[in-house]
Amino acid sequence: MASLLFVSLLLSFVTLTSSLPSIGVTYSSPSTTTAASSTPPPPPPPPDKISTAISALKIHAVRLPDADPSLIKAFAFTNTSLFLSIPNPLLPAIAANRSLALAWLYKHVLPFYPRSKIALVSVGNAVLDSVADEDFTPYLLPAIRNLHLALHELGIKKIPVSTTFSFFSTITTAFPPSSAEFQQPAGDLIVKPLLQFLEDTNSSFLINLYPYNLYRLNSEIPVGFALFQDYPFNFRDDLVTGVRYFNLFDMMADSVLTSMAVMGYESIPVIVAETGWPSGGGEAGEVEANEAYAEMYLKGLVRHLKSGVGTPLKKDGVAEVYVYELMDHENGGSDRQRGRKWGILSENMTRKYNVDMSDGAKNSGFMAIFLAFIFVFGN
C-alpha cells in the first residue's frame, strides 16, 4: 500500500513538472538589429555557430524574427523548437494573395520541416505599433488566415499561426490587473476576431512583455518589484480581487489574461514572445540598464517560471517565455530598442550571466517514474 502511495505521489509530481512553461531565447541577426549608422554592420556569426551556442546553453526553444532559411536549416535534427516570424512589410502582399503565403512557406518551412522543429509562426510583430510609419493593421487578419490555409494546403496541420502584440499598444493598464482591457478600437476590430481564430485553430496569444519599460514609465514602481527581489513590503495588492502581486511580470501577465477573459477567451494559452532587461546602452540616464540588474531579472524570471506557481490569476501561468535576446551586437540594438544591449551573451558570444535556462525540471518527471519503478520492484 505504501508503495502505491509513493508511486501516486511521484506521478502527481510528473503532472506538475510537465506543466512548467518552456524558456526560450530570441536570436536576431546583426543585420536586422543594428541601429541606423554610417558604420556597416558586422557579418553575423555562421548559423551553425548560433545553433551550437544555443545547444550548449541547453535552450530548447528559439524565436527567429528574421526566419533566415540558412538558420532554420542549422537547427535540423536538433531538439530545438523554432518560433518563426513574418516581417510586417510582407503582410499586405500575403493578405492579398494566398500564393504569396505559399511562396513564403516554400522558402522558409517546406524545405526544412519536420527535420527542423518549426513549432509556431507569427504573422507580423507589434503591428499595432506600426501605425505611425505605415499602418499594417488592415492586412493582419487576412494575412494570418491566408498563411493558415496555405499550411493546410501543403498538408501541414501541426504548425499554429498567430501574431505578436506589444503590451503597451494593446493593454489599457497593468495595475490593477482586474481593470485591464484591450485598447479600443483595435480590441474589437482586430484582437477579438483574432482570439476567435486562435481558439478555433488551437493556437496561442503572443505578447511582448517588458517590466523594464513599464518600470521606467512609472517612478512609483520599486526596482526590486520589477527584478523579482524578495524584499519586505515588496508587493502590490489588487483591491478589487484581493490578489497580492510580488513581481511586475505577474502583474503584466495577469493584465493580459484579464483582458482576454473580458472578451470570453480565458482558455487560450499565452506566450511571452519577448522579455528581458538591458545590461547597457540606451538613452542618457538609463542607470538601471546595467549587468547587475539584468542578471537579477533573468535569474528571478527563470526561478519564478521553474517554480511552477504560475500567476496569481492562472495556476498554469504563461505557456512559454522567450528572453530577448541571445547576444549583444556591436552597434547596439534596433531603433525600437534604442541601442540597448539585451543579450545573455556578449558580442564575442561569451556568457554574461550564470543562469540555467534549460528545461531540466520538466525531465525530472521521467526521473520520478524511474525512481518509482526502482522503489517498487527493488523491494
Side-chain angles (χ1 to χ4, degrees), residues 113 148 150-161 201-202:
Y113 179 82
H148 173 74
L151 279 165
H152 280 240
E153 282 185 26
L154 296 173
I156 301 173
K157 299 182 179 180
K158 294 185 178 180
I159 299 179
V161 178
T201 60
N202 295 316

Side-chain angles (χ1 to χ4, degrees), residues 35-36 43 63 95 99 124 128 195 201 223 250-251 256 264 282 290 297 302 348 362 369 372:
R63 177 172 171 264
S99 65
L128 297 183
L195 289 170
T201 60
V223 68
D250 276 354
M251 185 180 289
V256 176
N290 62 68
Y297 180 79
V302 171
N348 61 7
K362 289 188 176 184
I369 295 175

